[in-house]
Amino acid sequence: MAGINLDDTVMTTRLDAVVNWARKNSLWPLPFGTACCAIEFMSMMASRYDFSRFGAEALRFSPRQSDMLLVLGTITNKQAPILRQVYAQMAEPKWVVSVGVCASSGGMYRTYATLQGIDRVVPVDVYVPGCPPRPESIIFGAMQLQKKIEKETLQGRREHIEQFYASMDRQEQLQLERGLTNHQVVREMVLAAGQNGEQKIW
Amino acid sequence: MVIERIDEQLPGAILDRHAFRGDRTVVVDRSRLLEVVDFIFREGYQQLMDVTAVDGGQRDPRFDVVYHLLNLTSQERLRLKVRVADQESVPSLVSRFKSADWSEREVADMFGIPFEGHPDPRRLLMWEDYPGHPLRKDYPLDGGDAFCSQDIGASYAPDARSLNG
């Protein structure tokens, strides 16, 4: 009896590759919409642009059920600790897309009220430029994120997220030690990071 | 006219008055604000549209607290102003107008003008322990704050007093 010829019924691959393939094609977005970018996002989800084509059909408004945080709009300093908390609550693995100039760099709002880039408080994977970006731009951003997910290692992503949790621990510790509010702690951490020549606290 | 009647009923309460294109403004003695408001409330000015303030910078006294009132019957409007110096307080109007609650909190938050007798004198827009009052003229535009100015370079208003020293 001849041996069984497996021929092309079996395909070998790496775990990273197959898991990442699954991950990139089922991103569940969480819209953190605060301004005009969120309106562009609505149009991106609607029939003309139809973001569902990218496997991101399931839009969730709960951080615990989503893995792609879309920050759409101006984030104020008052919102900064809240954004950190929302990101911390998301299921792992998780990715962040910063949509529009306000979220990415504070945009035109260089004032006491606006956070000058959300990457100071949460790790960002993809920045989408524009004010507001067109829906195509946000889709392109999501496609860039898919490319990034394709290439990353499971270990690498895990370490990336752990780095953020370490900063959450530092935040909690500071709070316990000095009895500060959420806002004060994040502000102190940004200040300390600035003195060390860093632009981020995570 | 209501301004003439205030003059009749409460002599000396109006310190100054002017009108611009039909908008009438009266400057009221700070200590008699409640009296004046009570009076014009009975005259029909029963809606407090807005409370805000103006920072005159170097002027003395520094601030104007501005009240916009609407007469719901005649649709006439009246603007009251009260002059306040730094650290001086203004009587709260919450006992007369419920809408004054948040408006006065906003003014207290953004200008640092205390309202005497306010039932809930917390900050409204900025968080607790926020450094300074952002709508004051000498407040640096970027707040001189870690969230903004650190590692970006010079402040928009380099001469302005930075709150972080």
Side-chain angles (χ1 to χ4, degrees), chain A residues 2-135:
Chain A
I4 301 163
N5 184 8
L6 290 173
D7 204 15
D8 58 357
T9 58
V10 172
M11 190 174 74
T12 58
T13 180
R14 287 174 298 112
L15 181 65
D16 281 356
V18 72
V19 169
N20 285 342
W21 172 79
R23 283 178 172 180
K24 82 172 173 125
N25 289 312
S26 69
L27 288 166
W28 288 25
L30 166 69
F32 194 97
T34 59
C36 21
C37 289
I39 310 292
E40 300 296 318
F41 170 78
M42 288 176 210
S43 135
M44 182 179 95
M45 291 308 287
S47 44
R48 182 183 282 260
Y49 295 98
D50 188 20
F51 195 46
S52 312
R53 294 178 287 151
F54 297 87
E57 175 78 67
L59 183 67
R60 287 296 135 97
F61 293 90
S62 156
R64 300 186 199 284
Q65 295 174 358
S66 38
D67 53 15
M68 174 168 60
L69 178 64
L70 286 159
V71 183
L72 308 138
T74 322
I75 302 297
T76 58
N77 294 329
K78 201 175 177 180
Q79 283 277 311
I82 296 153
L83 183 66
R84 266 170 82 76
Q85 192 174 345
V86 165
Y87 178 70
Q89 285 174 344
M90 283 170 69
E92 292 154 46
K94 48 194 174 186
W95 297 270
V96 181
V97 181
S98 169
V99 179
V101 293
C102 294
S104 300
S105 68
M108 68 207 78
Y109 303 113
R110 195 179 144 193
T111 71
Y112 61 90
T114 305
L115 182 65
Q116 304 293 300
I118 58 163
D119 51 0
R120 293 183 177 212
V121 297
V122 292
V124 176
D125 292 288
V126 174
Y127 300 85
V128 178
C131 182
R134 289 187 55 89

Side-chain angles (χ1 to χ4, degrees), chain B residues 3 6-7 10-18 25-32 36 61 81-84:
Chain B
I3 300 175
I6 301 173
D7 263 339
L10 307 164
I14 295 180
L15 301 178
D16 194 8
R17 72 200 71 191
H18 56 267
T25 305
V26 288
V27 180
V28 176
D29 188 351
R30 186 164 53 97
S31 58
R32 304 187 67 180
V36 173
K81 281 189 181 181
V82 178
R83 293 188 179 130
V84 220

Side-chain angles (χ1 to χ4, degrees), chain B residues 4-146:
Chain B
E4 283 79 65
R5 281 197 294 279
I6 301 173
D7 263 339
E8 275 168 35
Q9 300 292 320
L10 307 164
I14 295 180
L15 301 178
D16 194 8
R17 72 200 71 191
H18 56 267
F20 180 74
R21 296 194 177 168
D23 279 346
R24 292 162 306 157
T25 305
V26 288
V27 180
V28 176
D29 188 351
R30 186 164 53 97
S31 58
R32 304 187 67 180
L33 175 69
L34 276 174
E35 263 179 85
V36 173
V37 166
D38 271 342
F39 178 76
I40 61 172
F41 185 89
R42 288 196 301 277
E43 291 275 318
Y45 288 83
Q46 300 192 343
Q47 186 155 338
L48 179 64
M49 305 298 293
D50 191 19
V51 181
T52 182
V54 179
D55 181 2
Q58 302 301 314
R59 198 183 61 186
D60 187 47
R62 182 172 172 175
F63 299 104
D64 281 337
V65 178
V66 186
Y67 300 90
H68 293 142
L69 290 133
L70 171 66
N71 186 328
L72 289 171
T73 322
S74 66
Q75 293 294 305
E76 284 174 292
R77 288 166 199 273
L78 183 65
R79 182 185 296 120
L80 298 185
K81 281 189 181 181
V82 178
R83 293 188 179 130
V84 220
D86 210 348
Q87 305 303 323
E88 264 179 352
S89 65
V90 188
S92 168
L93 298 190
V94 180
S95 56
R96 174 52 83 196
F97 296 104
K98 268 198 169 169
S99 69
D101 189 334
W102 280 22
S103 312
E104 287 181 352
R105 274 174 68 188
E106 186 190 1
V107 172
D109 186 355
M110 305 308 273
F111 290 91
I113 300 168
F115 284 84
E116 215 172 306
H118 194 284
D120 184 21
R122 289 175 298 146
R123 296 197 92 129
L124 182 72
L125 297 172
M126 311 312 290
W127 60 88
E128 204 190 330
D129 309 313
Y130 182 85
H133 305 285
L135 287 188
R136 287 189 170 201
K137 288 279 185 231
D138 58 3
Y139 192 87
L141 191 61
D142 60 14
D145 194 82

Side-chain angles (χ1 to χ4, degrees), chain A residues 79-197:
Chain A
Q79 283 277 311
I82 296 153
L83 183 66
R84 266 170 82 76
Q85 192 174 345
V86 165
Y87 178 70
Q89 285 174 344
M90 283 170 69
E92 292 154 46
K94 48 194 174 186
W95 297 270
V96 181
V97 181
S98 169
V99 179
V101 293
C102 294
S104 300
S105 68
M108 68 207 78
Y109 303 113
R110 195 179 144 193
T111 71
Y112 61 90
T114 305
L115 182 65
Q116 304 293 300
I118 58 163
D119 51 0
R120 293 183 177 212
V121 297
V122 292
V124 176
D125 292 288
V126 174
Y127 300 85
V128 178
C131 182
R134 289 187 55 89
E136 296 98 313
S137 310
I138 313 179
I139 289 178
F140 183 69
M143 287 165 73
Q144 293 299 109
L145 180 62
Q146 287 186 321
K147 272 191 192 163
K148 190 175 177 179
I149 295 170
E150 213 170 56
K151 280 185 253 165
E152 73 190 8
T153 61
L154 302 185
Q155 186 62 27
R157 176 54 44 179
R158 198 179 145 177
E159 281 162 9
H160 180 75
I161 292 168
E162 273 171 358
Q163 206 181 341
F164 173 79
Y165 284 130
S167 84
M168 285 303 275
D169 289 343
R170 275 208 311 284
Q171 183 180 336
E172 205 172 320
Q173 207 185 339
L174 257 173
Q175 224 159 348
L176 285 173
E177 276 172 18
R178 308 193 25 207
L180 302 173
T181 63
N182 266 335
H183 296 100
Q184 284 174 312
V185 170
V186 172
R187 185 170 169 273
E188 296 255 315
M189 286 170 79
V190 172
L191 192 64
Q195 271 157 4
N196 298 334

